[in-house]
Amino acid sequence: QMSKADITEKSNGDQDHEESNQANTNITDSMPTKKENDTKNESPTTTSTTATATTVPNTATTTILSSNTEGDEAEKPMSKSQQKKRKRYEKLMAIKKRRKQQDKDAKIAKAKAEGRDLDAERKLQEERTISGEGRRKREERWQERMKSADTCFKICVDCSFEDQMTPKEIGSLSNQVRYCYAANKSSHNPVHLSVSSLSGTTYDNLTKVCGFPDQWRAFTCSDKSLLELHPEKSNVVYLTSDSDYTLEHLDDTKTYVIGGIVDRNRLKGLTTTKAKELGITTARLPIDQYLHLCATKVLTCNHVFEILLKYRELDNDWKAALLDVLPARKDITGISK
């Protein structure tokens, strides 16, 4: 049997042992294990890697979505109207290509029927181009045609109405000035062509044409007004369909002015009003005396210009000149006398 003192000593020993074990346990719990250290050391890397991995798929997803969107836009079906326009365009291009080939074949067939050697002609043309002989011959022919221009009437296009026209109308006027020059250059009897008050958008449009204005033959242009360019009022005649005077013949001492205006019948009487303000004589072409027009009698600048040229070429025959120039859409009927 154990005494009371032994029991007390043993109890105290057991209590000390439990406190020692508890202390060891607390120390062990507070110290990180190797696995936990490894986990902590690897944790930032793993997090960074995870974040990177997460970002890349998002970028890839965005790229894929963008590609799909572009593909959808590219593969977006056309509307019925767009399909019709596309078919019509392709049909016109096919017709144009076929006609071009037909014209080429017709020229070749005609040359062969006349016994011409096309290869030899092409070779000769290349030689003349290299030597400059072709240019010299064209220049000689042009100078020959221009001999009578100094003793002939002159034509001027007055472009002082640009501020009253729309951009589309100004574009049409620019083209009409080009047509006038082209008709004059190819004419057998060219005249001196001038353009007054040429500035703004009209001038800018013409500067896009190759060679304008320095290389244009028998052509002068200026931003000066009509009377500054042609100061002799007595020799200036303004052509307008609203005039009370009918032009019977062309006087070689006169300068005939064409109003550079494209108004789609919107600005009526504008050229007549300006001519009266400047004190210039007005006249209209003798259309009513020779032709019956179902359409409007207002003509484009280039049509008026070509009629004046043709009148001179066709021995002062108004009717022949009018019939030669005016388009068929005017529904022209000649008046027999």
Side-chain angles (χ1 to χ4, degrees), residues 2 44 63 73 76 104 123 173 191 225 234 245 259 302 306 317:
M2 295 179 64
T63 306
E73 292 178 355
K76 185 177 180 180
K104 185 177 180 180
K123 185 177 180 180
L173 176 61
V191 298
S225 65
S234 59
Y245 174 72
N302 54 296
E306 291 178 34
D317 189 340

Short mmCIF file of all heavy atoms in Angstrom, two decimals, residues 2 44 63 73 76 104 123 173 191 225 234 245 259 302 306 317:
data_model
loop_
_atom_site.label_atom_id
_atom_site.label_comp_id
_atom_site.label_asym_id
_atom_site.label_seq_id
_atom_site.Cartn_x
_atom_site.Cartn_y
_atom_site.Cartn_z
N MET A 2 0.40 2.18 -0.93
CA MET A 2 1.17 3.43 -1.05
C MET A 2 0.66 4.43 -0.05
O MET A 2 -0.53 4.51 0.24
CB MET A 2 0.96 4.01 -2.45
CG MET A 2 1.53 3.11 -3.55
SD MET A 2 1.24 3.81 -5.18
CE MET A 2 2.20 5.28 -5.04
N PRO A 44 3.18 31.09 -54.48
CA PRO A 44 3.19 32.25 -55.38
C PRO A 44 3.35 31.85 -56.83
O PRO A 44 2.69 32.36 -57.71
CB PRO A 44 4.36 33.10 -54.89
CG PRO A 44 4.59 32.65 -53.49
CD PRO A 44 4.22 31.21 -53.45
N THR A 63 -9.66 36.40 -79.34
CA THR A 63 -9.21 36.30 -80.74
C THR A 63 -10.15 35.44 -81.56
O THR A 63 -10.50 35.77 -82.69
CB THR A 63 -7.79 35.72 -80.78
OG1 THR A 63 -6.95 36.50 -79.96
CG2 THR A 63 -7.28 35.70 -82.22
N GLU A 73 -19.16 38.64 -90.76
CA GLU A 73 -19.37 39.81 -91.60
C GLU A 73 -19.02 39.51 -93.05
O GLU A 73 -19.68 39.97 -93.97
CB GLU A 73 -18.53 40.98 -91.09
CG GLU A 73 -19.01 41.50 -89.74
CD GLU A 73 -18.13 42.63 -89.24
OE1 GLU A 73 -17.12 42.91 -89.92
OE2 GLU A 73 -18.44 43.20 -88.19
N LYS A 76 -21.67 37.40 -94.59
CA LYS A 76 -23.02 37.91 -94.45
C LYS A 76 -23.71 37.93 -95.81
O LYS A 76 -23.19 38.50 -96.77
CB LYS A 76 -22.98 39.33 -93.88
CG LYS A 76 -24.35 39.89 -93.59
CD LYS A 76 -24.23 41.27 -92.97
CE LYS A 76 -25.61 41.85 -92.68
NZ LYS A 76 -25.51 43.20 -92.05
N LYS A 104 -12.32 44.34 -131.97
CA LYS A 104 -10.95 43.97 -132.30
C LYS A 104 -10.91 42.96 -133.44
O LYS A 104 -10.11 43.09 -134.38
CB LYS A 104 -10.28 43.40 -131.05
CG LYS A 104 -8.81 43.08 -131.23
CD LYS A 104 -8.20 42.59 -129.93
CE LYS A 104 -6.71 42.27 -130.11
NZ LYS A 104 -6.12 41.78 -128.83
N LYS A 123 5.17 47.07 -135.99
CA LYS A 123 6.62 47.29 -135.91
C LYS A 123 6.98 48.69 -136.36
O LYS A 123 7.80 49.38 -135.73
CB LYS A 123 7.34 46.25 -136.76
CG LYS A 123 8.86 46.31 -136.64
CD LYS A 123 9.51 45.20 -137.45
CE LYS A 123 11.03 45.28 -137.32
NZ LYS A 123 11.69 44.19 -138.10
N LEU A 173 -20.29 70.30 -115.38
CA LEU A 173 -19.68 71.39 -116.14
C LEU A 173 -18.22 71.10 -116.45
O LEU A 173 -17.75 71.38 -117.57
CB LEU A 173 -19.81 72.70 -115.35
CG LEU A 173 -19.14 73.92 -115.97
CD1 LEU A 173 -19.74 74.23 -117.33
CD2 LEU A 173 -19.25 75.13 -115.05
N VAL A 191 -10.87 75.89 -133.55
CA VAL A 191 -10.93 77.33 -133.26
C VAL A 191 -10.19 77.58 -131.95
O VAL A 191 -9.84 76.64 -131.23
CB VAL A 191 -12.39 77.81 -133.15
CG1 VAL A 191 -13.12 77.61 -134.47
CG2 VAL A 191 -13.12 77.10 -132.02
N SER A 225 -12.53 87.70 -115.36
CA SER A 225 -13.91 87.74 -115.83
C SER A 225 -13.96 87.77 -117.35
O SER A 225 -12.93 87.92 -118.03
CB SER A 225 -14.63 88.97 -115.26
OG SER A 225 -14.04 90.16 -115.77
N SER A 234 -18.14 95.05 -128.33
CA SER A 234 -18.80 95.02 -129.64
C SER A 234 -18.54 93.72 -130.39
O SER A 234 -19.29 93.38 -131.31
CB SER A 234 -18.32 96.21 -130.48
OG SER A 234 -16.90 96.17 -130.65
N TYR A 245 -33.05 87.54 -130.26
CA TYR A 245 -32.39 87.62 -131.56
C TYR A 245 -31.91 86.22 -131.97
O TYR A 245 -31.26 85.52 -131.20
CB TYR A 245 -31.19 88.58 -131.49
CG TYR A 245 -30.37 88.62 -132.75
CD1 TYR A 245 -30.84 89.22 -133.92
CD2 TYR A 245 -29.10 88.04 -132.77
CE1 TYR A 245 -30.07 89.24 -135.07
CE2 TYR A 245 -28.32 88.07 -133.90
CZ TYR A 245 -28.81 88.67 -135.06
OH TYR A 245 -28.06 88.68 -136.20
N GLY A 259 -22.65 80.11 -121.96
CA GLY A 259 -22.80 80.17 -120.51
C GLY A 259 -22.46 78.85 -119.86
O GLY A 259 -23.11 77.84 -120.10
N ASN A 302 -21.10 71.58 -124.39
CA ASN A 302 -20.37 70.90 -125.45
C ASN A 302 -21.21 70.73 -126.71
O ASN A 302 -20.69 70.74 -127.82
CB ASN A 302 -19.84 69.55 -124.96
CG ASN A 302 -20.90 68.66 -124.38
OD1 ASN A 302 -21.52 68.99 -123.36
ND2 ASN A 302 -21.15 67.52 -125.00
N GLU A 306 -20.03 72.13 -130.30
CA GLU A 306 -19.90 71.25 -131.46
C GLU A 306 -20.76 71.74 -132.62
O GLU A 306 -20.37 71.59 -133.79
CB GLU A 306 -20.28 69.83 -131.08
CG GLU A 306 -19.28 69.16 -130.14
CD GLU A 306 -19.72 67.76 -129.73
OE1 GLU A 306 -20.34 67.09 -130.56
OE2 GLU A 306 -19.46 67.37 -128.58
N ASP A 317 -24.04 75.26 -142.96
CA ASP A 317 -25.36 74.63 -143.04
C ASP A 317 -25.85 74.36 -141.62
O ASP A 317 -25.40 73.40 -140.96
CB ASP A 317 -25.26 73.33 -143.85
CG ASP A 317 -26.63 72.73 -144.16
OD1 ASP A 317 -27.61 73.09 -143.46
OD2 ASP A 317 -26.72 71.89 -145.07
#
